[in-house]
Amino acid sequence: MTVHYIEDVEFGSDLPAFIPDTSLAKGAQFAKLIGWDGPRFNDHEGARKEGLPGAMIPGVMSQGFLVAMIHHWAPSARIINIDTVFRAPVMADESHTISGVVTDIDPDAGTVEIDLTVANTKQETRVFGTATIGLKAGAD
Amino acid sequence: MILDLHTHSIKSDDGRAKVENYCQWIRARELPIDGIVLTEHRQFDFESDYSALAKANDLVILKASEVETEYGHVLVYGVTEALTQAFDFASINNVLEDVIQAANDHGAIAVPCHPGRPKVGMFAHTEALGMPQGVQIVEVYNGGSRDDEDQIALDGAAAQGYLGIGGSDSHIVSHVGRCATQFQDDIATMDDLVAALKAGNFEAITLKTR
């Protein structure tokens, strides 16, 4: 289900879960494009030699996933702010799910706040944060 | 009565939840908790008054602190103005035994939280620093735990004879109530909470599967 207007949004409603492509290949491709090429993003063994548990997905790529998730749900939303707290690395080649829920609505300001959580298959939170989005009123 | 004993609001530097939204969420999702304790990082929030919000939502909202020591993070329940003068709440280099002693001297109680967590959990430091004196309770269920952190906490608590509490460690609205503590008695005030903790009339519970 997608929403287009702020009147469509209810407090506590869940955004459709989003499963991002966290493959090593995608992460490495993204890292190279933004100039972060290196073993921590493109080589599990090389990342382990750097003291990491394996190759990671770049943090800005995770933020991009959050934006993509929001736009899958609300294609016309204006993302005003995304604020993330990285609790643990999002590991490449491990499956993750992004969930989002509406936790505040300000009809006067035309804004909606969303809690966002990136969790692995063990339901461990790797990244959490909040987003503030702008949505038009239906009468506009 | 079930309380989430470990939550953070926007008063904490990494907290993103407004207290009114916690209340709204608990009621909208019909969470099986009766209230929350706000444990803001490295401070005690003297200025906020949540009594009207608590009454409007029929929830208990209490205030405590999460301070930092050489053994990791510690929840302090029963904070008073005098206790905040006894050690530096803002410091990241407090001495755990000093915090425990100061809490006891001021009618409060100190509880190491997420003790199974690397770096910021007590059991990560006991091999190097020894077992601290004076600990009676640790947080055995933490909503933000990963891997085997809760199991390390449970095993360590059992080995040392510590009692265990639970708290979500929520920093965003939707994470509240993931873990909590069930009390035999009603808790309406911080004095009630400290008394119940000191009496041992409680049990840690996890609600993560909901």
Side-chain angles (χ1 to χ4, degrees):
Chain A
M1 177 195 165
T2 58
V3 300
H4 296 281
Y5 304 109
I6 197 160
E7 294 87 346
D8 299 335
V9 181
E10 289 183 15
F11 179 91
S13 58
D14 293 282
L15 279 64
F18 181 75
I19 298 175
D21 183 348
T22 50
S23 65
L24 180 67
K26 278 287 182 202
Q29 183 183 25
F30 186 96
K32 188 173 183 178
L33 281 169
I34 61 170
W36 287 7
D37 206 9
R40 66 178 54 190
F41 298 121
N42 66 22
D43 175 20
H44 287 302
E45 192 53 40
R48 282 190 274 273
K49 284 178 183 169
E50 291 187 11
L52 298 163
M56 305 181 298
I57 295 298
V60 285
M61 187 173 173
S62 292
Q63 288 183 310
F65 289 144
L66 300 178
V67 172
M69 185 220 198
I70 291 167
H71 276 147
H72 275 106
W73 172 68
S76 57
R78 180 172 57 94
I79 306 232
I80 298 167
N81 179 48
I82 284 203
D83 181 13
T84 45
V85 178
F86 291 85
R87 279 288 192 240
V90 174
M91 305 308 300
D93 285 337
E94 289 184 15
S95 183
H96 292 76
T97 301
I98 304 177
S99 56
V101 288
V102 174
T103 57
D104 202 9
I105 304 166
D106 185 339
D108 295 333
T111 59
V112 173
E113 282 191 24
I114 301 165
D115 275 5
L116 299 159
T117 305
V118 181
N120 62 14
T121 53
K122 292 190 283 185
Q123 297 303 307
E124 296 168 344
T125 298
R126 314 303 284 184
V127 182
F128 67 80
T130 56
T132 305
I133 66 168
L135 278 171
K136 290 180 180 176
D140 285 357
Chain B
M1 174 166 232
I2 298 175
L3 298 178
D4 182 342
L5 295 187
H6 188 172
T7 67
H8 298 274
S9 77
I10 51 175
K11 291 279 182 180
S12 288
D13 51 6
D14 60 350
R16 303 292 182 264
K18 290 178 236 169
V19 180
E20 53 265 42
N21 293 140
Y22 271 144
C23 296
Q24 202 175 358
W25 181 262
I26 291 165
R27 289 305 178 216
R29 290 292 177 118
E30 300 180 336
L31 300 190
I33 63 173
D34 301 294
I36 60 173
V37 182
L38 296 156
T39 51
E40 311 297 2
H41 288 292
R42 300 178 300 280
Q43 61 178 298
F44 183 78
D45 175 17
F46 283 105
E47 65 183 6
S48 300
D49 179 358
Y50 299 115
S51 55
L53 195 59
K55 188 175 180 183
N57 289 280
D58 193 20
L59 288 167
V60 173
I61 304 175
L62 303 175
K63 298 187 293 184
S65 299
E66 182 173 353
V67 300
E68 300 187 18
T69 75
E70 83 281 32
Y71 280 92
H73 296 188
V74 180
L75 303 171
V76 184
Y77 302 101
V79 178
T80 61
E81 186 86 45
L83 179 55
T84 62
Q85 305 301 314
F87 67 92
D88 184 0
F89 273 49
S91 171
I92 60 169
N93 296 309
N94 285 298
V95 175
L96 175 58
E97 291 181 1
D98 292 348
V99 170
I100 292 170
Q101 186 61 54
N104 290 339
D105 289 346
H106 289 82
I109 189 164
V111 178
C113 52
H114 40 69
R117 188 165 299 169
K119 297 180 183 173
V120 296
M122 189 180 85
F123 293 126
H125 302 280
T126 49
E127 191 174 326
L129 302 176
M131 202 59 70
Q133 297 298 305
V135 175
Q136 296 174 308
I137 306 170
V138 295
E139 184 184 62
V140 293
Y141 288 131
N142 177 287
S145 286
R146 295 176 293 274
D147 301 319
D148 54 355
E149 290 174 5
D150 279 351
Q151 194 57 53
I152 292 169
L154 287 162
D155 292 346
Q160 297 300 319
Y162 299 150
L163 298 174
I165 63 164
S168 67
D169 201 358
S170 59
H171 289 72
I172 59 176
V173 171
S174 56
H175 287 185
V176 72
R178 287 181 162 187
C179 299
T181 306
Q182 184 158 25
F183 292 90
Q184 293 174 12
D185 303 317
D186 281 351
I187 308 288
T189 67
M190 182 51 73
D191 286 346
D192 293 344
L193 176 60
V194 172
L197 290 172
K198 291 194 176 200
N201 297 329
F202 58 86
E203 180 185 12
I205 58 174
T206 178
L207 302 162
K208 283 182 187 174
T209 53
R210 70 177 156 72

